[in-house]
Amino acid sequence: MRRGRSSRAGSDREHSGSAENRVGRGSADRERARSLRRKVFLVTAVCVTVIAALVGVLWFSPLMSVRQIAYVGDGRVTEEEVLRVLDVAEGTPLLRVDTGAAARRVAGIPRVAEVRVQREYPSTVRVTVMERVPVVFFDSPQGQHLMDAGGVDYAIEPPPPGLARLVTPTPGHDDHVTQVALAVLEQLPEEVRFQVSEVAAPTISNISVTLDDGRVLVWGSAEDSERKSAVVSVLLTQPGQVFDVSSPELPTVK
């Protein structure tokens, strides 16, 4: 009986020691975790402070300010036109240049189709402009208007040689008939499109195309344009003056 009590006492002491060890290890782990969190906090605080100081230097310092504006264009929009609306003064810190607002101002030039304004450290603002490409022109009392593939009327001037005339009741970007006529022109086979002298669309269902040699393609509506385009290439190899593909299943030649 005494040995039994002694064994139980020894066992109790062992369990007590294990519990104390676990408590001790838990306290040490918590202390290490707190120490790690303090170190992470200190490192983060230092990094934030350094970044804030660097941003402050770049924001206010003349060390990285605009000293050059580089213009890259592909047509008739001049550097002088761009600089007038860009509104970026030399000496402005690069970080304070609002590239988005500057790009929107340049995009307001009628001939500009796309524009990109970039900061190039340490001291350059680069402006890259792509101009609109005319696909048709239309006549008005003011003169001949150039229009791009999106229907944007962007200039009044003589059209370049070979440009097709657009004839619609009210040509313009927001005019549905204009957009349909331009879509038909885009659907034509490339070898045919380069021969077009006029696209006429009194209505959206009565579209016709006149070629340089006087031949006429009666297109009808814009429906089934892909099938009509495939038929046209074959049909134009036949003699005739009027090629009607308004019903691509039953094309006719007159």
Side-chain angles (χ1 to χ4, degrees):
M1 293 295 294
R2 287 174 183 159
R3 284 197 301 272
R5 284 196 299 269
S6 175
S7 296
R8 284 196 298 273
S11 177
D12 290 342
R13 282 194 298 272
E14 288 175 3
H15 286 305
S16 175
S18 295
E20 289 174 357
N21 288 339
R22 286 196 296 271
V23 170
R25 286 197 298 272
S27 298
D29 290 342
R30 287 193 294 273
E31 182 58 33
R32 282 194 294 271
R34 282 195 294 269
S35 176
L36 180 60
R37 285 196 295 271
R38 284 194 295 268
K39 290 178 181 177
V40 170
F41 175 78
L42 289 174
V43 170
T44 302
V46 169
C47 291
V48 169
T49 302
V50 170
I51 292 172
L54 180 60
V55 170
V57 169
L58 294 176
W59 188 265
F60 295 105
S61 171
L63 295 176
M64 288 189 177
S65 59
V66 179
R67 292 183 175 83
Q68 179 185 10
I69 296 177
Y71 172 65
V72 180
D74 64 351
R76 295 176 57 182
V77 177
T78 66
E79 184 174 357
E80 290 72 21
E81 287 180 271
V82 170
L83 292 180
R84 273 199 301 270
V85 299
L86 187 66
D87 194 23
V88 174
E90 289 192 11
T92 303
L94 276 178
L95 272 183
R96 297 172 66 178
V97 174
D98 188 338
T99 55
R104 286 190 292 272
R105 289 192 292 272
V106 176
I109 299 173
R111 284 187 180 275
V112 173
E114 296 180 21
V115 59
R116 186 178 183 186
V117 179
Q118 303 166 272
R119 304 182 191 92
E120 293 187 350
Y121 292 95
S123 58
T124 300
V125 172
R126 180 173 297 275
V127 184
T128 305
V129 165
M130 292 184 62
E131 295 189 20
R132 300 187 187 278
V133 177
V135 296
V136 293
F137 73 94
F138 65 89
D139 297 311
S140 80
Q142 294 77 35
Q144 295 170 313
H145 295 243
L146 302 185
M147 181 177 281
D148 70 4
V152 177
D153 164 18
Y154 66 90
I156 302 177
E157 61 185 49
L163 197 66
R165 174 183 275 104
L166 173 69
V167 181
T168 63
T170 54
H173 179 264
D174 298 323
D175 177 56
H176 184 49
V177 178
T178 297
Q179 292 294 338
V180 171
L182 292 173
V184 168
L185 183 63
E186 179 64 25
Q187 284 289 335
L188 287 172
E190 186 174 352
E191 67 275 10
V192 177
R193 194 184 317 136
F194 288 131
Q195 302 177 50
V196 174
S197 63
E198 181 178 287
V199 181
T203 67
I204 60 173
S205 59
N206 185 18
I207 303 168
S208 63
V209 176
T210 302
L211 303 183
D212 292 331
D213 58 10
R215 290 182 296 173
V216 177
L217 307 179
V218 178
W219 202 267
S221 71
E223 294 181 3
D224 293 327
S225 283
E226 189 172 341
R227 294 179 64 189
K228 292 174 183 179
S229 179
V231 169
V232 160
S233 296
V234 177
L235 209 62
L236 285 174
T237 62
Q238 301 181 27
Q241 185 65 25
V242 178
F243 301 79
D244 191 335
V245 294
S246 55
S247 297
E249 299 84 359
L250 298 170
T252 61
V253 179
K254 298 179 182 178

